[in-house]
Amino acid sequence: MPHPKNNSLRPYNTFGMDVQARKVIRIASIEDLKSVLQIHRPQEIRIIGGGSNILMTKNIDAVCLINQFSGKSIVRRDDEHVWVRFASGENWHEAVQWCVNQGFGGLENLSLIPGTCGAAPIQNIGAYGVELKDVFDSLEAFHLESQQIEIMHADDCHFAYRDSIFKQHAKGKYFILSITLRLSLHPNLNTSYGGIQSALDNQGILNPNIRDVAEVVIAIRKSKLPDPLIIGNAGSFFKNPVIPESLFQSLQKTHPHIPSFPAKDGVKIPAAWLIEQCGWKGFRDGDAGVHPHQALVLVNYHQASGMDIFALSEKIITSVQQAFNISLEREVNIW
Ligand code: FAD
Ligand code: NAP
């Protein structure tokens, strides 16, 4: 059966893919969720926040729930910390800005990441040396099968680099309702990463506060990353690979300038560098391309299909594998 045209997901994904859902339903309360589950099985449901980490490659034969849970509250406070709960449909960057305005530290490096608060735990969002797990206290999740609300702490979520149980065995099983973050009243700034300190130095800021760091992060990101409202994208398409020390040493012989960072189980290589070395930076085939300023970001210039972007990602994976013997893994969720 062809899908009716009024269920387009185009407004709900930052790649701007014009695919059809079986049904689109806005969800703002547990009652809304329960009434959907009176009609549909959990397996028929997909959850969408800001749609900034999804590549839709075909029509979605599922009921797509658009998260509109709203609200925030201060849960408790002691001399050092404050615990703030955000409903899952709240915009992430607005939540960060609100915390910065209150003087609550810990989120400033995570400024300007698109999407919702409820999606932040899914891939343990991270940027500039900070990850969600560093400030995470707990979340409330609605189990779609049992219709019970569960509280999960960091240990339950198995956070790792761009990963959590919600991308593994708990995938598709829960609707995250809220997150509670533990923020600092006496922030320790992390300015060592990716040009933050040099930007502060250039501006003559000797004793930065959390607002200074947030503003520098916002400025760097605006200068490097394409705005999805102008060019469709979902941020970094691939994860940065962590390779064994032995492979790194052999690559260093052939590529003495290969950039690297120490990682938990080996050596992290920036995927953007690998992709650039293979000649993809700025590549364009029709409306599918690799961003000219950031090779990790695949873009839809206008009319590319999800399959066009996916096919381009396959070619990139193959060429990096052939040139470096490294398997790139997609970060974006493929639907
Ligand atoms: P969506 O794309 O809507 O959903 C992502 C996944 O989470 C889907 O599988 C969805 O089903 C699931 N999901 C969403 N909400 C819920 C919920 N309430 N309960 C259960 N499951 C849910 N990511 C980073 O980590 N760091 C960055 O610096 C970063 N920069 C970006 C820059 C740009 C320009 C763009 C476009 C993206 C960037 N991203 C980054 C990726 C993305 O913004 C984040 O992963 C973000 O958390 C996704 O939020 P979302 O609400 O858009 O999730
Ligand atoms: P960048 O600062 O130019 O750095 C390039 C790469 O080197 C990044 O992949 C980063 O790894 C790594 N790196 C830089 N300094 C490091 C350090 N001191 N220690 C360890 N690793 C270091 O990167 P960028 O593209 O402009 O992005 C800046 C930050 O925003 C990065 O943290 C990036 O992950 C994040 N970001 C994420 C997305 C997304 O969609 N996931 C999109 C845009 C930006 P890491 O990526 O592991 O941090």
Side-chain angles (χ1 to χ4, degrees):
M1 282 263 292
H3 291 274
K5 281 289 167 209
N6 57 352
N7 284 328
S8 171
L9 290 173
R10 187 173 200 147
Y12 305 116
N13 73 100
T14 60
F15 259 120
M17 295 306 164
D18 191 8
V19 303
Q20 297 288 313
R22 200 200 300 175
K23 226 187 235 183
V24 176
I25 303 177
R26 285 165 194 75
I27 298 289
S29 67
I30 291 170
E31 290 68 40
D32 289 349
L33 271 175
K34 287 187 172 168
S35 48
V36 168
L37 288 163
Q38 278 178 355
I39 307 170
H40 300 285
R41 290 174 300 123
Q43 297 78 359
E44 295 174 88
I45 286 170
R46 297 279 180 108
I47 300 163
I48 301 181
S52 64
N53 206 11
I54 303 171
L55 175 67
M56 297 175 179
T57 58
K58 53 181 181 299
N59 288 339
I60 310 297
D61 186 20
V63 178
C64 290
L65 306 184
I66 311 297
N67 185 0
Q68 300 202 322
F69 276 82
S70 66
K72 57 180 166 305
S73 56
I74 293 179
V75 180
R76 72 185 170 104
R77 189 193 276 263
D78 64 19
D79 291 344
E80 300 294 322
H81 293 105
V82 57
W83 283 255
V84 187
R85 180 179 299 141
F86 294 99
S88 58
E90 289 285 330
N91 175 273
W92 173 262
H93 179 62
E94 286 169 15
V96 174
Q97 293 282 81
W98 184 82
C99 291
V100 169
N101 289 338
Q102 306 296 312
F104 302 160
L107 299 183
E108 52 281 356
N109 294 39
L110 301 176
S111 295
L112 215 63
I113 298 179
T116 53
C117 291
I122 305 286
Q123 72 159 11
N124 177 31
I125 56 169
Y128 298 98
V130 174
E131 293 182 331
L132 181 80
K133 72 173 174 49
D134 301 328
V135 291
F136 182 85
D137 174 76
S138 58
L139 60 77
E140 286 177 307
F142 181 85
H143 189 256
L144 295 172
E145 196 72 57
S146 69
Q147 302 198 19
Q148 298 298 307
I149 296 174
E150 296 178 22
I151 311 283
M152 297 184 195
H153 291 89
D155 284 351
D156 304 314
C157 298
H158 296 187
F159 290 126
Y161 169 61
R162 305 287 190 270
D163 201 18
S164 74
I165 54 161
F166 303 106
K167 287 189 93 174
Q168 304 297 335
H169 62 272
K171 188 173 177 175
K173 292 195 167 35
Y174 292 93
F175 190 118
I176 294 174
L177 301 170
S178 72
I179 58 171
T180 300
L181 306 179
R182 191 187 75 145
L183 303 168
S184 177
L185 295 171
H186 312 286
N188 277 327
L189 301 181
N190 179 345
T191 61
S192 61
Y193 208 87
I196 297 182
Q197 188 59 53
S198 54
L200 291 167
D201 292 344
N202 288 342
Q203 293 177 32
I205 301 172
L206 297 178
N207 294 306
N209 55 32
I210 54 175
R211 185 182 300 283
D212 296 322
V213 174
E215 284 176 1
V216 160
V217 168
I218 291 168
I220 300 174
R221 292 182 69 104
K222 280 188 174 164
S223 73
K224 279 185 155 183
L225 292 168
D227 179 348
L229 290 174
I230 299 167
I231 305 177
N233 76 90
S236 305
F237 201 88
F238 303 99
K239 295 183 185 181
N240 292 314
V242 174
I243 62 171
E245 181 69 41
S246 53
L247 175 58
F248 177 63
Q249 282 177 11
S250 78
L251 286 172
Q252 259 186 327
K253 290 185 188 129
T254 44
H255 302 84
H257 303 297
I258 183 169
S260 67
F261 299 93
K264 201 165 137 253
D265 299 313
V267 181
K268 180 175 74 176
I269 311 294
W273 184 85
L274 297 168
I275 296 167
E276 193 175 343
Q277 293 300 302
C278 292
W280 291 106
K281 194 173 183 179
F283 173 88
R284 179 169 177 171
D285 180 9
D287 273 355
V290 178
H291 196 256
H293 300 151
Q294 173 46 286
L296 208 43
V297 179
L298 302 194
V299 291
N300 173 14
Y301 283 104
H302 191 46
Q303 302 261 37
S305 69
M307 278 314 293
D308 293 338
I309 302 284
F310 187 80
L312 174 58
S313 74
E314 289 276 275
K315 289 182 188 158
I316 293 171
I317 290 172
T318 303
S319 70
V320 168
Q321 178 74 50
Q322 283 168 352
F324 295 99
N325 194 21
I326 294 176
S327 304
L328 287 185
E329 203 184 318
R330 293 180 186 89
E331 176 178 314
V332 170
N333 299 280
I334 309 295
W335 282 15

